[in-house]
Amino acid sequence: MFKPLILILMGGVLINNYVLQQFLGICPFLGVSKKINQAVGMGVAVTFVMLVATAATWPIYNYILFPKYAYLQTIVFILVIATLVQFVEIVLKRFIPSLFKALGVYLPLITTNCAVLGVAINNISDGFNFVESIVSSLGVGLGFLLAMVLFAGVRSRMENIKTLKSFQGLPVTLIAASIVALSFYGFSGVIEGLLA
Amino acid sequence: MDMKILIPVLIGLTISVICGVVLTVASRLFAVKEDEKFLNIRDCLPGANCGACGYSGCDGYAKALSSGEIDATNLCVPGGDGAAKQIADVLGVEAEDVIEKVAYVACNGNCDAAPRKVEYHGPQSCRIANMNYNGDKFCTFSCLGYGDCVAVCSQDAISIENGVAKVDPEKCVGCGACTRVCPNKVIHIVDAASRVKVLCSNHDKGAVTRKACANGCIACGKCERTCPNGAIKVEHNLAVIDYEKCTGCGECAEACPIKCIELKNF
């Protein structure tokens, strides 16, 4: 019973890694991966928002929009996700100020992160049920966290190398990101083999 | 036919209204009481979040002011005197003018004073010249005079005179771009009002400095003994001025046997 769930989870982390395989959420991936603790903060925040967003959007789609008004999903999802993020921010500020401070500016930034909308829409187009959707968004979130942490490590090494002037800054960062993404192709097919 | 449009619109409207109500209720219900002083101070600041005050942004500065952590109301450079005055009104203290900053080159090893150990024919850039055995002068702490700072200055305030960079304080706005580009870090940012400056960055012992440059600080300590306020100290073989204590009397400049302390008269 748990095997398909584990497959979905590991698939989200390694095989269908949103950042490195599907190229969603590149903006925070490049923007907030300079320091490893910031990268972890952003990754945890995204994972959390993905979980909450999936828990809210799945019922809305399946009980209100489906099947007649399915075309409304994008606009409704964006609305719901933005509200949720704001709501979470208000609640955190009141009850867990330390966590609010740690997440800082990342929390409102996640509102417009396409990876969050992507996971909500993909869960529905993959035909997952509620539990599978939650597990899938957890996996995707953890995959995002993994990619952020890995890349923060790569970037901290990159600060110490000498680069051609024309490659300094973003160009060399993108090249490094593509090499990290390439390494993730090695995971295709590994998970099914491990659990077989 | 009409229902085809009406129902989706209603669905969207309902969800938006629910979202709006939830957020409004939540923001009232879970409102965190912000310090009124903090809010008032934040309104005075320009909101540019530039970080010139030394805090993470306008919020950080406003917080430091409202909590009494600091009492300097004049740290906001973009806001200028206007913002300083407004903040001072909120806090009920006397406003001070925004302190203008200016760059100066802590080296006077010009072509006459500092001999060169090699003849350098490479690219005319301090950074590249410095990679080649720390530049072509005997003094390895010196201004190399190839004008990286001249190139980076947006105000056209720096020029190379007799092999050493000179800052025109009239044009300089104290942005600090030159301090970051100088490979030997000989350019410093100080308050525009400070009169006394040490024109040397050499940390070698006196005898070594003397051989490398006729205008270098030999760390004799005469300035330290002369200063009535204890504002100048020889640290690591170099005279360093503590601008918090310095009154600008200029006695150190008079006492210095090398004349490497500059006294500027207004």
Side-chain angles (χ1 to χ4, degrees):
Chain A
M1 182 206 159
F2 288 111
K3 201 177 143 190
L5 290 184
I6 292 173
L7 273 182
I8 291 172
L9 183 73
M10 297 311 284
V13 176
L14 295 174
I15 301 164
N16 292 324
N17 193 299
Y18 264 43
V19 176
L20 296 172
Q21 295 293 303
Q22 312 209 0
F23 309 118
L24 290 170
I26 297 291
C27 169
F29 178 63
L30 295 175
V32 212
S33 61
K34 273 187 188 136
K35 286 191 186 125
I36 208 152
N37 47 356
Q38 286 188 347
V40 172
M42 185 72 184
V44 171
V46 168
T47 311
F48 179 67
V49 172
M50 276 178 180
L51 279 176
V52 179
T54 308
T57 52
W58 195 91
I60 287 180
Y61 180 82
N62 281 288
Y63 297 122
I64 300 175
L65 300 181
F66 189 78
K68 239 179 160 178
Y69 307 108
Y71 62 91
L72 281 175
Q73 73 168 359
T74 306
I75 195 163
V76 168
F77 281 12
I78 289 179
L79 199 64
V80 170
I81 291 170
T83 311
L84 267 177
V85 174
Q86 280 296 316
F87 185 75
V88 167
E89 199 185 349
I90 292 168
V91 172
L92 277 186
K93 199 174 181 184
R94 177 77 161 80
F95 293 106
I96 325 175
S98 56
L99 185 63
F100 175 76
K101 233 178 195 166
L103 292 177
V105 73
Y106 306 135
L107 205 50
L109 275 182
I110 296 167
T111 315
T112 49
N113 188 339
C114 60
V116 177
L117 181 66
V119 76
I121 289 180
N122 274 0
N123 281 338
I124 281 156
S125 63
D126 287 347
F128 289 155
N129 64 30
F130 187 69
V131 179
E132 283 171 346
S133 296
I134 293 289
V135 172
S136 156
S137 49
L138 178 66
V140 169
L142 291 177
F144 185 83
L145 179 65
L146 178 73
M148 292 288 280
V149 171
L150 278 181
F151 200 57
V154 172
R155 274 186 96 155
S156 66
R157 293 290 178 88
M158 267 166 37
E159 271 171 22
N160 297 329
I161 57 163
K162 280 186 180 163
T163 326
L164 281 178
K165 200 176 180 191
S166 50
F167 277 95
Q168 272 168 11
L170 209 53
V172 78
T173 311
L174 283 169
I175 292 173
S178 69
I179 295 172
V180 174
L182 208 59
S183 72
F184 261 66
Y185 271 102
F187 284 115
S188 336
V190 167
I191 301 302
E192 288 90 337
L194 276 181
L195 288 175
Chain B
M1 180 62 199
D2 285 346
M3 290 313 244
K4 253 188 185 168
I5 299 169
L6 203 62
I7 291 181
V9 168
L10 278 181
I11 290 177
L13 196 69
T14 320
I15 293 179
S16 333
V17 168
I18 291 172
C19 290
V21 168
V22 165
L23 277 188
T24 316
V25 170
S27 64
R28 284 284 158 80
L29 206 61
F30 302 126
V32 180
K33 243 197 159 168
E34 297 264 21
D35 193 0
E36 206 165 295
K37 209 154 84 180
F38 165 76
L39 291 175
N40 287 339
I41 294 172
R42 201 178 57 180
D43 288 343
C44 303
L45 296 169
N49 289 322
C50 66
C53 49
Y55 289 87
S56 55
C58 296
D59 278 9
Y61 182 40
K63 197 160 215 172
L65 279 170
S66 63
S67 63
E69 198 179 306
I70 50 161
D71 46 15
T73 61
N74 54 355
L75 295 183
C76 181
V77 177
D81 291 346
K85 206 161 273 168
Q86 282 179 335
I87 299 168
D89 285 345
V90 172
L91 290 173
V93 293
E94 201 72 17
E96 284 174 46
D97 285 349
V98 173
I99 299 165
E100 282 180 31
K101 301 277 184 182
V102 74
Y104 82 98
V105 181
C107 177
N108 198 20
N110 54 35
C111 293
D112 311 323
R116 290 173 191 254
K117 59 190 174 196
V118 290
E119 232 176 88
Y120 175 73
H121 287 293
Q124 298 293 299
S125 154
C126 305
R127 219 170 68 140
I128 299 170
N130 194 44
M131 283 176 194
N132 193 13
Y133 302 100
N134 289 329
D136 51 354
K137 285 178 179 170
F138 277 100
C139 173
T140 55
F141 300 90
S142 65
C143 169
L144 298 166
Y146 291 109
D148 281 11
C149 46
V150 178
V152 81
C153 182
S154 61
Q155 306 297 320
D156 210 9
I158 310 180
S159 57
I160 305 291
E161 286 172 24
N162 201 8
V164 170
K166 283 268 179 295
V167 180
D168 180 355
E170 297 288 314
K171 289 183 188 166
C172 179
V173 294
C175 67
C178 47
T179 64
R180 290 188 285 274
V181 82
C182 179
N184 282 344
K185 306 273 174 248
V186 296
I187 311 183
H188 303 293
I189 300 283
V190 288
D191 294 350
S194 50
R195 296 177 68 205
V196 195
K197 288 162 192 125
V198 179
L199 295 186
C200 183
S201 305
N202 192 310
H203 286 291
D204 282 332
K205 281 185 180 157
V208 182
T209 311
R210 192 76 186 140
K211 268 183 204 154
C213 178
N215 288 345
C217 171
I218 54 170
C220 63
K222 214 169 171 189
C223 47
E224 193 178 322
R225 292 190 293 277
T226 316
C227 183
N229 307 307
I232 186 161
K233 284 225 158 54
V234 174
E235 286 169 12
H236 304 292
N237 300 313
L238 178 66
V240 177
I241 298 171
D242 181 355
Y243 286 104
E244 298 272 303
K245 294 180 187 161
C246 178
T247 57
C249 65
E251 285 192 30
C252 49
E254 238 159 78
C256 180
I258 309 290
K259 301 291 169 214
C260 72
I261 303 178
E262 184 196 49
L263 174 68
K264 199 176 81 181
N265 286 312
F266 289 105

